[in-house]
Amino acid sequence: RAKDATGQRICLFEEFMQREFDDRKALENDLRLAVQRNEFELLYQAQVDVMSLELRGLEALVRWNHPTRGQIPPGLFVSLAEELGLINELGHIILVAACTEAATWMRPLKIAVNLSPLQLQAPDFVQSVVDVLKTTGLPAERLELEITETVLLDNRERVVKILNELRALGLTIAMDDFGTGYSSLAILRDIPFDTIKLDKSFVRDIAENPQAASLVKLVVDVGTSLNKTVIIEGVETRAQHERIRQLGGPLSQGFLFARPVRASKLGFLHQAEQHADLIDDFSH
Ligand code: C2E
Ligand code: MG
Ligand code: MG
Ligand code: MG
């Protein structure tokens, strides 16, 4: 009897695995088509000055508008694109779209674009960035490319060389999800970048927990003394915002200020007159 039950369980499990596998195969095929047809959309999330609440830049965050499954977040397809060898093509689509959009804004705000570490491995990556800036007309100074600590898994000398070539174009490099890897100090020493984006996990309980707040302050102070811009990610509450303000955090990004929005919601960036108070004007 027990054996029967086990047998049945295994059978159900196999069925489940088979379905997962079919799903995955279907998703793989869909993703190949999606890259050919460009079924992607970028959402834009505000980066604000903590003191004045003025808008300082926007981060582009990709979404896949799947014809039948609806909108799929990057957490569910970016790594698949990497596995399938589609990430360079997808990354190019994203970079072109982000720079094209930013070039239409009436204010010279920065646009931040996330990169997969695999994109840095492509031999023609730097040239492709040069080409995109040229064809879209976006000044290099307005582009920030976001990388993560996973770039350290590759040949470090090569990565450093490419980052320096990119910075020589005039654009800036941000270290995303800062603090979540295990080599933060080595990163500060070895990798040339301009902006620290402190991971949202460090922000969660800063309002209640003085030790958490000390850690954020430490990063703000280190970043500032190393002449880097510091962006605190994942600010969701007024209490967190007030604490960051006390700690002297320069820039913040989070749902408190604005959710990622479609380009069509950025109408205010296409008008000449400007609004300073982001909390009132930007979030819907
Ligand atoms: P990330 O670059 O660290 O982006 C921040 C993520 O945190 C975004 O999720 C954003 O919607 C979310 N977020 C922003 N503010 C808050 C907040 O206050 N609270 C919380 N809980 N979350 C917040 P999203 O859009 O789902 O993107 C997830 C990750 O996918 C990104 O993390 C990035 O690593 C990757 N990704 C997004 N767009 C691209 C892209 O165009 N190319 C590549 N290669 N990766 C991308
Ligand atoms: Mg990012
Ligand atoms: Mg992040
Ligand atoms: Mg991330």
Side-chain angles (χ1 to χ4, degrees):
R1 213 165 229 207
K3 207 179 169 190
D4 276 349
T6 313
Q8 194 180 9
R9 210 175 299 140
I10 286 170
C11 208
L12 281 172
F13 180 69
E14 278 173 353
E15 218 173 88
F16 173 78
M17 289 299 285
Q18 187 61 46
R19 209 172 323 127
E20 288 274 284
F21 181 77
D22 291 344
D23 273 2
R24 195 190 143 90
K25 276 283 162 225
L27 203 64
E28 283 181 18
N29 288 332
D30 290 356
L31 189 54
R32 286 181 216 282
L33 280 176
V35 170
Q36 281 170 29
R37 298 173 181 162
N38 190 358
E39 294 172 351
F40 302 97
E41 177 180 10
L42 298 183
L43 302 186
Y44 297 87
Q45 189 182 27
Q47 300 177 334
V48 310
D49 182 301
V50 172
M51 292 302 165
S52 67
L53 292 186
E54 274 177 73
L55 183 60
R56 282 302 159 81
L58 294 107
E59 178 178 9
L61 296 158
V62 70
R63 299 292 183 267
W64 175 8
N65 292 323
H66 189 284
T68 57
R69 294 176 197 232
Q71 194 169 77
I72 304 182
L76 295 181
F77 68 88
V78 167
S79 61
L80 186 60
E82 290 173 341
E83 284 169 43
L84 296 177
L86 297 169
I87 193 66
N88 285 328
E89 217 175 321
L90 176 58
H92 189 257
I93 290 173
I94 290 167
L95 187 63
V96 170
C99 293
T100 303
E101 169 62 26
T104 68
W105 299 340
M106 299 288 288
R107 297 162 62 184
L109 296 166
K110 275 210 176 210
I111 177 75
V113 181
N114 292 280
L115 294 185
S116 156
L118 295 180
Q119 287 177 267
L120 290 183
Q121 287 179 15
D124 59 349
F125 181 67
V126 176
Q127 187 55 47
S128 75
V129 173
V130 173
D131 294 344
V132 171
L133 290 171
K134 202 168 166 197
T135 54
T136 61
L138 188 76
E141 294 68 32
R142 291 187 49 206
L143 179 62
E144 181 150 270
L145 295 176
E146 297 193 3
I147 59 174
T148 61
E149 292 185 22
T150 52
V151 296
L152 286 177
L153 300 174
D154 299 326
N155 180 329
R156 200 169 296 198
E157 255 171 59
R158 211 183 145 266
V159 169
V160 169
K161 183 170 164 277
I162 289 165
L163 294 180
N164 280 328
E165 284 172 21
L166 289 167
R167 295 168 88 217
L169 301 176
L171 57 80
T172 53
I173 303 290
M175 189 60 69
D176 204 353
D177 305 338
F178 186 87
T180 53
Y182 293 95
S183 47
S184 313
L185 288 178
I187 271 197
L188 289 169
R189 184 192 58 200
D190 297 345
I191 303 292
F193 62 95
D194 308 278
T195 301
I196 292 177
K197 296 193 75 179
L198 183 64
D199 190 69
K200 48 180 167 281
S201 58
F202 291 92
V203 175
R204 208 158 292 139
D205 55 348
I206 47 165
E208 310 84 46
N209 182 343
Q211 295 195 337
S214 296
L215 211 49
V216 173
K217 179 158 171 44
L218 176 82
V219 175
V220 168
D221 290 348
V222 167
T224 309
S225 69
L226 292 175
N227 227 351
K228 296 184 193 300
T229 303
V230 179
I231 303 179
I232 313 290
E233 290 194 275
V235 181
E236 294 182 352
T237 68
R238 289 253 175 197
Q240 289 169 339
H241 171 65
E242 288 310 325
R243 199 75 189 85
I244 292 165
R245 196 194 274 265
Q246 288 163 5
L247 300 176
L251 297 181
S252 282
Q253 185 175 342
F255 294 163
L256 174 67
F257 311 106
R259 300 237 161 206
V261 296
R262 321 183 83 147
S264 59
K265 291 258 184 166
L266 299 177
F268 69 100
L269 289 176
H270 299 118
Q271 293 153 13
E273 69 272 24
Q274 293 154 31
H275 307 280
D277 189 349
L278 202 85
I279 290 187
D280 289 332
D281 283 2
F282 193 85
S283 51
H284 336 287

